[in-house]
């Protein structure tokens, strides 16, 4: 309807203070190129309806153009199958889905803990 504002906005002003806000796409690419190997810990960021969720993951397999990541379970183990990402940290099959890899800094890993293994979102 004309004159109505959307409920959710994609502007950075409305986003919560994100622990990865200083990470550029170039920095993520460089970090992934240097650090992705089987067994490496990464952080998965999901965006849904303007809310964010962080989850620890482990690199399961590495290929020339992409790599596979399994999410951590509550018992500390990791999924044996997972999601495929490119070396820019984007979801391999659906680049606009809101799921991406970010650099697992201390702040990001703390956000992973706050999100309770993918059961909660940051507001």
């Amino acid at each position: 309807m004309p004159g109505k504002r959307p409920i959710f906005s994609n502007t950075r002003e409305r986003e919560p203070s994100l622990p990865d806000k200083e990470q550029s796409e170039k920095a993520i690419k460089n970090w992934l190129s240097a650090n992705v190997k089987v067994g490496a810990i990464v952080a998965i960021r999901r965006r849904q309806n303007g809310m964010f969720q962080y989850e620890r993951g482990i690199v399961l397999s590495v290929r020339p153009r992409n790599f596979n990541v399994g999410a951590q379970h509550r018992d500390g183990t990791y999924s044996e199958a997972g999601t495929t990402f490119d070396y820019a940290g984007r979801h391999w099959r659906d680049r606009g889905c809101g799921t991406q890899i970010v650099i697992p800094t201390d702040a990001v890993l703390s956000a992973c803990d706050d999100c309770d293994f993918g059961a909660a979102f940051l507001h």
Side-chain angles (χ1 to χ4, degrees), residues 32 36 61-63 66-69 83-87 101:
L32 289 171
V36 166
S61 63
V62 177
R63 292 175 290 285
N66 57 39
F67 58 98
N68 195 265
V69 174
T83 306
T84 304
F85 294 91
D86 66 14
Y87 283 93
I101 297 293

Side-chain angles (χ1 to χ4, degrees), residues 19 41-46 52-57 72-76 78 102 104-122:
I41 300 298
V42 296
I44 305 164
R45 182 181 84 172
R46 290 184 179 86
F52 293 85
Q53 180 183 73
Y54 292 84
E55 195 171 14
R56 276 185 181 85
Q72 186 178 30
H73 300 292
R74 286 184 190 274
D75 64 3
Y78 291 87
V102 295
T105 62
D106 290 339
V108 170
L109 293 176
S110 177
C112 292
D113 296 338
D114 293 342
C115 289
D116 194 24
F117 300 95
F121 284 86
L122 297 179

Side-chain angles (χ1 to χ4, degrees), residues 10-83:
N10 289 331
T11 61
R12 293 293 281 185
E13 299 93 42
R14 294 185 186 250
E15 292 179 359
S17 178
L18 301 175
D20 63 316
K21 67 183 173 193
E22 300 298 321
Q23 296 182 16
S24 67
E25 186 175 333
K26 184 176 181 178
I28 292 169
K29 279 183 183 180
N30 290 340
W31 188 89
L32 289 171
S33 295
N35 293 287
V36 166
K37 59 184 180 269
V38 173
I41 300 298
V42 296
I44 305 164
R45 182 181 84 172
R46 290 184 179 86
R47 179 184 179 143
Q48 182 177 353
N49 294 330
M51 297 186 298
F52 293 85
Q53 180 183 73
Y54 292 84
E55 195 171 14
R56 276 185 181 85
I58 192 166
V59 177
L60 301 171
S61 63
V62 177
R63 292 175 290 285
R65 297 183 70 199
N66 57 39
F67 58 98
N68 195 265
V69 174
Q72 186 178 30
H73 300 292
R74 286 184 190 274
D75 64 3
T77 62
Y78 291 87
S79 296
E80 293 180 11
T83 306

